[in-house]
Amino acid sequence: MTRIPRSHPRYRSLMIRERLVEGFKRGLVVPEGLIAHGRGEAFDYLLGEVSHPFALEAERATVAWLLTARRPVISVNGNYAALAAREIRGLAEATGAMVEVNLFYRTEERVKRIWRYLDEVGVPNLLPWDCEKTHIPGLESPRGITCRDGIASADFVLLAIEDGDRTEALVRAGKVVSAIDLNPFSRTAQTASITIVDEAIRATVNMERMARSMTREEALEARRSYDNLEVLKASFAAIFERLSHASKAGRPPAPSGGHEPLGSL
Ligand code: PTJ
């Protein structure tokens, strides 16, 4: 792994990139995952690389569902595993949610490899890699395969860095879907029931912290009062305001002092 000095101004971003490259070398991440990451980085730049209030609100609603749903499942793909395995462990511990390895570019070999990696890191409530399988309705190709006792029977699914078709199919199947996606224009962001416009590691760290202190009453209230349209509008407004400032000043606004946990970086 390339050594990056902590003093580098782009330390955090470069470390995240290294995690993904390591994941690629280990066969967890597909080449397309590296491209997806670059897109995410670009949007994070526009957002100022912090968790904005609208993201924290969506994260709070997600935690509320993870704590109170009948069968909540955290869906983990190659990118999410490579970036945030330890943070996923924390969130699964704090909420008791099940964790399923579920892939867009699916091969049994890669499912096993990611499953073993999560297991080594100590992620709890992992559905077995050789679970009984079924298909997400409307997605009959291998990218629709899922565990019968996992996503297929879940009422709530948390996804990250996900493809739009799969998100749409889960929403169509009647599930409440929360999606971590830095691009609010994406089909995933637009179709999810709860859209977390935040970087996946930051979002997962935030959610673990929230889950450790949220009461059931607070969770039910957070579910009731959540409005995803307002959250999406606020995410576009944040990008617009930063670009508007930059278009006048010729440089981005000073860091907003938003919440930026480092997680295990
Ligand atoms: O591991 P697999 O086989 O399931 O495949 C994973 C990828 C990522 C290749 C697959 O899901 C895919 O092709 O995704 P897309 O359609 O490229 O969408 C990924 C979305 O996640 C894009 O909107 C990116 O902006 C966003 N994104 C990328 N990195 C991050 C992110 N959002 C949050 N945090 C990130 N670190």
Side-chain angles (χ1 to χ4, degrees), residues 29-51:
V29 173
V30 284
E32 293 83 348
L34 302 177
I35 298 169
H37 186 74
R39 184 141 36 110
E41 278 184 340
F43 275 95
D44 211 15
Y45 239 106
L46 291 175
L47 286 158
E49 299 176 309
V50 293
S51 298

mmCIF file with all atom_site columns, all heavy atoms in Angstrom, residues 29-51:
data_model
loop_
_atom_site.group_PDB
_atom_site.id
_atom_site.type_symbol
_atom_site.label_atom_id
_atom_site.label_alt_id
_atom_site.label_comp_id
_atom_site.label_asym_id
_atom_site.label_entity_id
_atom_site.label_seq_id
_atom_site.pdbx_PDB_ins_code
_atom_site.Cartn_x
_atom_site.Cartn_y
_atom_site.Cartn_z
_atom_site.occupancy
_atom_site.B_iso_or_equiv
_atom_site.pdbx_formal_charge
_atom_site.auth_seq_id
_atom_site.auth_comp_id
_atom_site.auth_asym_id
_atom_site.auth_atom_id
_atom_site.pdbx_PDB_model_num
ATOM 1   N N   . VAL A 1 29 ? -13.256 -5.582 -5.279  1.00 0.00 ? 29 VAL A N   1
ATOM 2   C CA  . VAL A 1 29 ? -13.817 -4.495 -6.089  1.00 0.00 ? 29 VAL A CA  1
ATOM 3   C C   . VAL A 1 29 ? -13.613 -4.816 -7.570  1.00 0.00 ? 29 VAL A C   1
ATOM 4   O O   . VAL A 1 29 ? -12.546 -5.292 -7.961  1.00 0.00 ? 29 VAL A O   1
ATOM 5   C CB  . VAL A 1 29 ? -13.099 -3.163 -5.727  1.00 0.00 ? 29 VAL A CB  1
ATOM 6   C CG1 . VAL A 1 29 ? -13.510 -2.029 -6.647  1.00 0.00 ? 29 VAL A CG1 1
ATOM 7   C CG2 . VAL A 1 29 ? -13.352 -2.793 -4.264  1.00 0.00 ? 29 VAL A CG2 1
ATOM 8   N N   . VAL A 1 30 ? -14.636 -4.527 -8.394  1.00 0.00 ? 30 VAL A N   1
ATOM 9   C CA  . VAL A 1 30 ? -14.504 -4.708 -9.852  1.00 0.00 ? 30 VAL A CA  1
ATOM 10  C C   . VAL A 1 30 ? -13.905 -3.428 -10.466 1.00 0.00 ? 30 VAL A C   1
ATOM 11  O O   . VAL A 1 30 ? -14.001 -2.360 -9.856  1.00 0.00 ? 30 VAL A O   1
ATOM 12  C CB  . VAL A 1 30 ? -15.883 -4.999 -10.515 1.00 0.00 ? 30 VAL A CB  1
ATOM 13  C CG1 . VAL A 1 30 ? -16.323 -6.429 -10.252 1.00 0.00 ? 30 VAL A CG1 1
ATOM 14  C CG2 . VAL A 1 30 ? -16.954 -4.015 -10.052 1.00 0.00 ? 30 VAL A CG2 1
ATOM 15  N N   . PRO A 1 31 ? -13.321 -3.517 -11.682 1.00 0.00 ? 31 PRO A N   1
ATOM 16  C CA  . PRO A 1 31 ? -12.766 -2.301 -12.303 1.00 0.00 ? 31 PRO A CA  1
ATOM 17  C C   . PRO A 1 31 ? -13.808 -1.185 -12.406 1.00 0.00 ? 31 PRO A C   1
ATOM 18  O O   . PRO A 1 31 ? -13.499 -0.019 -12.201 1.00 0.00 ? 31 PRO A O   1
ATOM 19  C CB  . PRO A 1 31 ? -12.335 -2.764 -13.697 1.00 0.00 ? 31 PRO A CB  1
ATOM 20  C CG  . PRO A 1 31 ? -12.222 -4.240 -13.615 1.00 0.00 ? 31 PRO A CG  1
ATOM 21  C CD  . PRO A 1 31 ? -13.096 -4.712 -12.504 1.00 0.00 ? 31 PRO A CD  1
ATOM 22  N N   . GLU A 1 32 ? -15.061 -1.554 -12.681 1.00 0.00 ? 32 GLU A N   1
ATOM 23  C CA  . GLU A 1 32 ? -16.138 -0.548 -12.781 1.00 0.00 ? 32 GLU A CA  1
ATOM 24  C C   . GLU A 1 32 ? -16.314 0.187  -11.451 1.00 0.00 ? 32 GLU A C   1
ATOM 25  O O   . GLU A 1 32 ? -16.768 1.332  -11.413 1.00 0.00 ? 32 GLU A O   1
ATOM 26  C CB  . GLU A 1 32 ? -17.466 -1.229 -13.169 1.00 0.00 ? 32 GLU A CB  1
ATOM 27  C CG  . GLU A 1 32 ? -17.506 -1.814 -14.561 1.00 0.00 ? 32 GLU A CG  1
ATOM 28  C CD  . GLU A 1 32 ? -16.887 -3.229 -14.655 1.00 0.00 ? 32 GLU A CD  1
ATOM 29  O OE1 . GLU A 1 32 ? -16.229 -3.684 -13.696 1.00 0.00 ? 32 GLU A OE1 1
ATOM 30  O OE2 . GLU A 1 32 ? -17.055 -3.857 -15.718 1.00 0.00 ? 32 GLU A OE2 1
ATOM 31  N N   . GLY A 1 33 ? -15.954 -0.484 -10.363 1.00 0.00 ? 33 GLY A N   1
ATOM 32  C CA  . GLY A 1 33 ? -16.057 0.124  -9.035  1.00 0.00 ? 33 GLY A CA  1
ATOM 33  C C   . GLY A 1 33 ? -15.082 1.282  -8.868  1.00 0.00 ? 33 GLY A C   1
ATOM 34  O O   . GLY A 1 33 ? -15.368 2.252  -8.145  1.00 0.00 ? 33 GLY A O   1
ATOM 35  N N   . LEU A 1 34 ? -13.934 1.195  -9.551  1.00 0.00 ? 34 LEU A N   1
ATOM 36  C CA  . LEU A 1 34 ? -12.952 2.296  -9.487  1.00 0.00 ? 34 LEU A CA  1
ATOM 37  C C   . LEU A 1 34 ? -13.518 3.523  -10.204 1.00 0.00 ? 34 LEU A C   1
ATOM 38  O O   . LEU A 1 34 ? -13.335 4.654  -9.758  1.00 0.00 ? 34 LEU A O   1
ATOM 39  C CB  . LEU A 1 34 ? -11.623 1.867  -10.113 1.00 0.00 ? 34 LEU A CB  1
ATOM 40  C CG  . LEU A 1 34 ? -10.955 0.627  -9.498  1.00 0.00 ? 34 LEU A CG  1
ATOM 41  C CD1 . LEU A 1 34 ? -9.689  0.273  -10.272 1.00 0.00 ? 34 LEU A CD1 1
ATOM 42  C CD2 . LEU A 1 34 ? -10.615 0.853  -8.035  1.00 0.00 ? 34 LEU A CD2 1
ATOM 43  N N   . ILE A 1 35 ? -14.210 3.277  -11.312 1.00 0.00 ? 35 ILE A N   1
ATOM 44  C CA  . ILE A 1 35 ? -14.826 4.390  -12.057 1.00 0.00 ? 35 ILE A CA  1
ATOM 45  C C   . ILE A 1 35 ? -15.927 5.023  -11.203 1.00 0.00 ? 35 ILE A C   1
ATOM 46  O O   . ILE A 1 35 ? -16.014 6.247  -11.070 1.00 0.00 ? 35 ILE A O   1
ATOM 47  C CB  . ILE A 1 35 ? -15.411 3.879  -13.398 1.00 0.00 ? 35 ILE A CB  1
ATOM 48  C CG1 . ILE A 1 35 ? -14.289 3.308  -14.264 1.00 0.00 ? 35 ILE A CG1 1
ATOM 49  C CG2 . ILE A 1 35 ? -16.169 4.985  -14.118 1.00 0.00 ? 35 ILE A CG2 1
ATOM 50  C CD1 . ILE A 1 35 ? -14.766 2.536  -15.482 1.00 0.00 ? 35 ILE A CD1 1
ATOM 51  N N   . ALA A 1 36 ? -16.747 4.163  -10.595 1.00 0.00 ? 36 ALA A N   1
ATOM 52  C CA  . ALA A 1 36 ? -17.840 4.675  -9.740  1.00 0.00 ? 36 ALA A CA  1
ATOM 53  C C   . ALA A 1 36 ? -17.261 5.540  -8.622  1.00 0.00 ? 36 ALA A C   1
ATOM 54  O O   . ALA A 1 36 ? -17.829 6.579  -8.254  1.00 0.00 ? 36 ALA A O   1
ATOM 55  C CB  . ALA A 1 36 ? -18.642 3.512  -9.158  1.00 0.00 ? 36 ALA A CB  1
ATOM 56  N N   . HIS A 1 37 ? -16.122 5.134  -8.096  1.00 0.00 ? 37 HIS A N   1
ATOM 57  C CA  . HIS A 1 37 ? -15.516 5.887  -6.996  1.00 0.00 ? 37 HIS A CA  1
ATOM 58  C C   . HIS A 1 37 ? -15.105 7.297  -7.444  1.00 0.00 ? 37 HIS A C   1
ATOM 59  O O   . HIS A 1 37 ? -15.311 8.269  -6.716  1.00 0.00 ? 37 HIS A O   1
ATOM 60  C CB  . HIS A 1 37 ? -14.304 5.140  -6.448  1.00 0.00 ? 37 HIS A CB  1
ATOM 61  C CG  . HIS A 1 37 ? -13.727 5.800  -5.236  1.00 0.00 ? 37 HIS A CG  1
ATOM 62  N ND1 . HIS A 1 37 ? -14.337 5.743  -4.004  1.00 0.00 ? 37 HIS A ND1 1
ATOM 63  C CD2 . HIS A 1 37 ? -12.623 6.571  -5.068  1.00 0.00 ? 37 HIS A CD2 1
ATOM 64  C CE1 . HIS A 1 37 ? -13.638 6.444  -3.131  1.00 0.00 ? 37 HIS A CE1 1
ATOM 65  N NE2 . HIS A 1 37 ? -12.592 6.954  -3.745  1.00 0.00 ? 37 HIS A NE2 1
ATOM 66  N N   . GLY A 1 38 ? -14.541 7.366  -8.670  1.00 0.00 ? 38 GLY A N   1
ATOM 67  C CA  . GLY A 1 38 ? -14.132 8.672  -9.193  1.00 0.00 ? 38 GLY A CA  1
ATOM 68  C C   . GLY A 1 38 ? -15.319 9.615  -9.310  1.00 0.00 ? 38 GLY A C   1
ATOM 69  O O   . GLY A 1 38 ? -15.226 10.805 -9.006  1.00 0.00 ? 38 GLY A O   1
ATOM 70  N N   . ARG A 1 39 ? -16.452 9.072  -9.725  1.00 0.00 ? 39 ARG A N   1
ATOM 71  C CA  . ARG A 1 39 ? -17.671 9.898  -9.825  1.00 0.00 ? 39 ARG A CA  1
ATOM 72  C C   . ARG A 1 39 ? -18.066 10.399 -8.435  1.00 0.00 ? 39 ARG A C   1
ATOM 73  O O   . ARG A 1 39 ? -18.391 11.571 -8.243  1.00 0.00 ? 39 ARG A O   1
ATOM 74  C CB  . ARG A 1 39 ? -18.792 9.071  -10.454 1.00 0.00 ? 39 ARG A CB  1
ATOM 75  C CG  . ARG A 1 39 ? -20.049 9.814  -10.687 1.00 0.00 ? 39 ARG A CG  1
ATOM 76  C CD  . ARG A 1 39 ? -20.710 9.424  -11.994 1.00 0.00 ? 39 ARG A CD  1
ATOM 77  N NE  . ARG A 1 39 ? -20.562 8.007  -12.305 1.00 0.00 ? 39 ARG A NE  1
ATOM 78  C CZ  . ARG A 1 39 ? -21.568 7.132  -12.281 1.00 0.00 ? 39 ARG A CZ  1
ATOM 79  N NH1 . ARG A 1 39 ? -22.771 7.516  -11.953 1.00 0.00 ? 39 ARG A NH1 1
ATOM 80  N NH2 . ARG A 1 39 ? -21.369 5.880  -12.596 1.00 0.00 ? 39 ARG A NH2 1
ATOM 81  N N   . GLY A 1 40 ? -18.007 9.488  -7.475  1.00 0.00 ? 40 GLY A N   1
ATOM 82  C CA  . GLY A 1 40 ? -18.333 9.873  -6.097  1.00 0.00 ? 40 GLY A CA  1
ATOM 83  C C   . GLY A 1 40 ? -17.396 10.966 -5.596  1.00 0.00 ? 40 GLY A C   1
ATOM 84  O O   . GLY A 1 40 ? -17.845 11.961 -4.999  1.00 0.00 ? 40 GLY A O   1
ATOM 85  N N   . GLU A 1 41 ? -16.106 10.816 -5.866  1.00 0.00 ? 41 GLU A N   1
ATOM 86  C CA  . GLU A 1 41 ? -15.118 11.821 -5.415  1.00 0.00 ? 41 GLU A CA  1
ATOM 87  C C   . GLU A 1 41 ? -15.467 13.204 -5.968  1.00 0.00 ? 41 GLU A C   1
ATOM 88  O O   . GLU A 1 41 ? -15.342 14.212 -5.276  1.00 0.00 ? 41 GLU A O   1
ATOM 89  C CB  . GLU A 1 41 ? -13.718 11.462 -5.925  1.00 0.00 ? 41 GLU A CB  1
ATOM 90  C CG  . GLU A 1 41 ? -12.985 10.432 -5.091  1.00 0.00 ? 41 GLU A CG  1
ATOM 91  C CD  . GLU A 1 41 ? -11.567 10.215 -5.619  1.00 0.00 ? 41 GLU A CD  1
ATOM 92  O OE1 . GLU A 1 41 ? -11.290 10.546 -6.793  1.00 0.00 ? 41 GLU A OE1 1
ATOM 93  O OE2 . GLU A 1 41 ? -10.744 9.703  -4.853  1.00 0.00 ? 41 GLU A OE2 1
ATOM 94  N N   . ALA A 1 42 ? -15.861 13.239 -7.241  1.00 0.00 ? 42 ALA A N   1
ATOM 95  C CA  . ALA A 1 42 ? -16.159 14.523 -7.880  1.00 0.00 ? 42 ALA A CA  1
ATOM 96  C C   . ALA A 1 42 ? -17.331 15.208 -7.160  1.00 0.00 ? 42 ALA A C   1
ATOM 97  O O   . ALA A 1 42 ? -17.287 16.404 -6.872  1.00 0.00 ? 42 ALA A O   1
ATOM 98  C CB  . ALA A 1 42 ? -16.491 14.314 -9.355  1.00 0.00 ? 42 ALA A CB  1
ATOM 99  N N   . PHE A 1 43 ? -18.364 14.416 -6.840  1.00 0.00 ? 43 PHE A N   1
ATOM 100 C CA  . PHE A 1 43 ? -19.501 15.016 -6.130  1.00 0.00 ? 43 PHE A CA  1
ATOM 101 C C   . PHE A 1 43 ? -19.114 15.413 -4.715  1.00 0.00 ? 43 PHE A C   1
ATOM 102 O O   . PHE A 1 43 ? -19.592 16.431 -4.191  1.00 0.00 ? 43 PHE A O   1
ATOM 103 C CB  . PHE A 1 43 ? -20.710 14.071 -6.150  1.00 0.00 ? 43 PHE A CB  1
ATOM 104 C CG  . PHE A 1 43 ? -21.499 14.231 -7.417  1.00 0.00 ? 43 PHE A CG  1
ATOM 105 C CD1 . PHE A 1 43 ? -21.277 13.409 -8.503  1.00 0.00 ? 43 PHE A CD1 1
ATOM 106 C CD2 . PHE A 1 43 ? -22.442 15.249 -7.524  1.00 0.00 ? 43 PHE A CD2 1
ATOM 107 C CE1 . PHE A 1 43 ? -21.968 13.591 -9.685  1.00 0.00 ? 43 PHE A CE1 1
ATOM 108 C CE2 . PHE A 1 43 ? -23.146 15.431 -8.702  1.00 0.00 ? 43 PHE A CE2 1
ATOM 109 C CZ  . PHE A 1 43 ? -22.911 14.605 -9.788  1.00 0.00 ? 43 PHE A CZ  1
ATOM 110 N N   . ASP A 1 44 ? -18.231 14.641 -4.084  1.00 0.00 ? 44 ASP A N   1
ATOM 111 C CA  . ASP A 1 44 ? -17.826 15.005 -2.726  1.00 0.00 ? 44 ASP A CA  1
ATOM 112 C C   . ASP A 1 44 ? -17.055 16.329 -2.731  1.00 0.00 ? 44 ASP A C   1
ATOM 113 O O   . ASP A 1 44 ? -17.185 17.147 -1.826  1.00 0.00 ? 44 ASP A O   1
ATOM 114 C CB  . ASP A 1 44 ? -16.977 13.884 -2.097  1.00 0.00 ? 44 ASP A CB  1
ATOM 115 C CG  . ASP A 1 44 ? -17.172 13.814 -0.580  1.00 0.00 ? 44 ASP A CG  1
ATOM 116 O OD1 . ASP A 1 44 ? -18.150 14.422 -0.083  1.00 0.00 ? 44 ASP A OD1 1
ATOM 117 O OD2 . ASP A 1 44 ? -16.360 13.169 0.103   1.00 0.00 ? 44 ASP A OD2 1
ATOM 118 N N   . TYR A 1 45 ? -16.278 16.551 -3.782  1.00 0.00 ? 45 TYR A N   1
ATOM 119 C CA  . TYR A 1 45 ? -15.577 17.839 -3.951  1.00 0.00 ? 45 TYR A CA  1
ATOM 120 C C   . TYR A 1 45 ? -16.596 18.974 -3.992  1.00 0.00 ? 45 TYR A C   1
ATOM 121 O O   . TYR A 1 45 ? -16.455 19.995 -3.332  1.00 0.00 ? 45 TYR A O   1
ATOM 122 C CB  . TYR A 1 45 ? -14.821 17.825 -5.280  1.00 0.00 ? 45 TYR A CB  1
ATOM 123 C CG  . TYR A 1 45 ? -13.335 18.028 -5.142  1.00 0.00 ? 45 TYR A CG  1
ATOM 124 C CD1 . TYR A 1 45 ? -12.460 16.952 -5.315  1.00 0.00 ? 45 TYR A CD1 1
ATOM 125 C CD2 . TYR A 1 45 ? -12.798 19.281 -4.863  1.00 0.00 ? 45 TYR A CD2 1
ATOM 126 C CE1 . TYR A 1 45 ? -11.092 17.131 -5.205  1.00 0.00 ? 45 TYR A CE1 1
ATOM 127 C CE2 . TYR A 1 45 ? -11.434 19.458 -4.754  1.00 0.00 ? 45 TYR A CE2 1
ATOM 128 C CZ  . TYR A 1 45 ? -10.581 18.383 -4.929  1.00 0.00 ? 45 TYR A CZ  1
ATOM 129 O OH  . TYR A 1 45 ? -9.241  18.549 -4.815  1.00 0.00 ? 45 TYR A OH  1
ATOM 130 N N   . LEU A 1 46 ? -17.642 18.778 -4.819  1.00 0.00 ? 46 LEU A N   1
ATOM 131 C CA  . LEU A 1 46 ? -18.662 19.825 -4.948  1.00 0.00 ? 46 LEU A CA  1
ATOM 132 C C   . LEU A 1 46 ? -19.367 20.089 -3.622  1.00 0.00 ? 46 LEU A C   1
ATOM 133 O O   . LEU A 1 46 ? -19.764 21.208 -3.325  1.00 0.00 ? 46 LEU A O   1
ATOM 134 C CB  . LEU A 1 46 ? -19.703 19.427 -6.006  1.00 0.00 ? 46 LEU A CB  1
ATOM 135 C CG  . LEU A 1 46 ? -19.206 19.404 -7.453  1.00 0.00 ? 46 LEU A CG  1
ATOM 136 C CD1 . LEU A 1 46 ? -20.296 18.873 -8.373  1.00 0.00 ? 46 LEU A CD1 1
ATOM 137 C CD2 . LEU A 1 46 ? -18.795 20.804 -7.900  1.00 0.00 ? 46 LEU A CD2 1
ATOM 138 N N   . LEU A 1 47 ? -19.512 19.035 -2.833  1.00 0.00 ? 47 LEU A N   1
ATOM 139 C CA  . LEU A 1 47 ? -20.221 19.164 -1.553  1.00 0.00 ? 47 LEU A CA  1
ATOM 140 C C   . LEU A 1 47 ? -19.314 19.670 -0.432  1.00 0.00 ? 47 LEU A C   1
ATOM 141 O O   . LEU A 1 47 ? -19.785 19.929 0.684   1.00 0.00 ? 47 LEU A O   1
ATOM 142 C CB  . LEU A 1 47 ? -20.803 17.804 -1.154  1.00 0.00 ? 47 LEU A CB  1
ATOM 143 C CG  . LEU A 1 47 ? -22.031 17.368 -1.954  1.00 0.00 ? 47 LEU A CG  1
ATOM 144 C CD1 . LEU A 1 47 ? -22.218 15.865 -1.902  1.00 0.00 ? 47 LEU A CD1 1
ATOM 145 C CD2 . LEU A 1 47 ? -23.279 18.078 -1.437  1.00 0.00 ? 47 LEU A CD2 1
ATOM 146 N N   . GLY A 1 48 ? -18.013 19.772 -0.698  1.00 0.00 ? 48 GLY A N   1
ATOM 147 C CA  . GLY A 1 48 ? -17.096 20.269 0.334   1.00 0.00 ? 48 GLY A CA  1
ATOM 148 C C   . GLY A 1 48 ? -16.600 19.179 1.285   1.00 0.00 ? 48 GLY A C   1
ATOM 149 O O   . GLY A 1 48 ? -16.033 19.485 2.332   1.00 0.00 ? 48 GLY A O   1
ATOM 150 N N   . GLU A 1 49 ? -16.860 17.910 0.948   1.00 0.00 ? 49 GLU A N   1
ATOM 151 C CA  . GLU A 1 49 ? -16.346 16.753 1.701   1.00 0.00 ? 49 GLU A CA  1
ATOM 152 C C   . GLU A 1 49 ? -16.713 16.788 3.181   1.00 0.00 ? 49 GLU A C   1
ATOM 153 O O   . GLU A 1 49 ? -15.891 16.481 4.050   1.00 0.00 ? 49 GLU A O   1
ATOM 154 C CB  . GLU A 1 49 ? -14.821 16.642 1.511   1.00 0.00 ? 49 GLU A CB  1
ATOM 155 C CG  . GLU A 1 49 ? -14.463 16.439 0.045   1.00 0.00 ? 49 GLU A CG  1
ATOM 156 C CD  . GLU A 1 49 ? -12.976 16.427 -0.226  1.00 0.00 ? 49 GLU A CD  1
ATOM 157 O OE1 . GLU A 1 49 ? -12.297 17.367 0.229   1.00 0.00 ? 49 GLU A OE1 1
ATOM 158 O OE2 . GLU A 1 49 ? -12.504 15.488 -0.882  1.00 0.00 ? 49 GLU A OE2 1
ATOM 159 N N   . VAL A 1 50 ? -17.945 17.192 3.458   1.00 0.00 ? 50 VAL A N   1
ATOM 160 C CA  . VAL A 1 50 ? -18.454 17.135 4.841   1.00 0.00 ? 50 VAL A CA  1
ATOM 161 C C   . VAL A 1 50 ? -19.858 16.530 4.814   1.00 0.00 ? 50 VAL A C   1
ATOM 162 O O   . VAL A 1 50 ? -20.508 16.481 3.772   1.00 0.00 ? 50 VAL A O   1
ATOM 163 C CB  . VAL A 1 50 ? -18.546 18.544 5.494   1.00 0.00 ? 50 VAL A CB  1
ATOM 164 C CG1 . VAL A 1 50 ? -17.170 19.142 5.715   1.00 0.00 ? 50 VAL A CG1 1
ATOM 165 C CG2 . VAL A 1 50 ? -19.434 19.483 4.685   1.00 0.00 ? 50 VAL A CG2 1
ATOM 166 N N   . SER A 1 51 ? -20.300 16.086 5.988   1.00 0.00 ? 51 SER A N   1
ATOM 167 C CA  . SER A 1 51 ? -21.683 15.606 6.126   1.00 0.00 ? 51 SER A CA  1
ATOM 168 C C   . SER A 1 51 ? -22.568 16.808 6.416   1.00 0.00 ? 51 SER A C   1
ATOM 169 O O   . SER A 1 51 ? -22.517 17.376 7.500   1.00 0.00 ? 51 SER A O   1
ATOM 170 C CB  . SER A 1 51 ? -21.779 14.602 7.278   1.00 0.00 ? 51 SER A CB  1
ATOM 171 O OG  . SER A 1 51 ? -20.977 13.489 7.025   1.00 0.00 ? 51 SER A OG  1
#
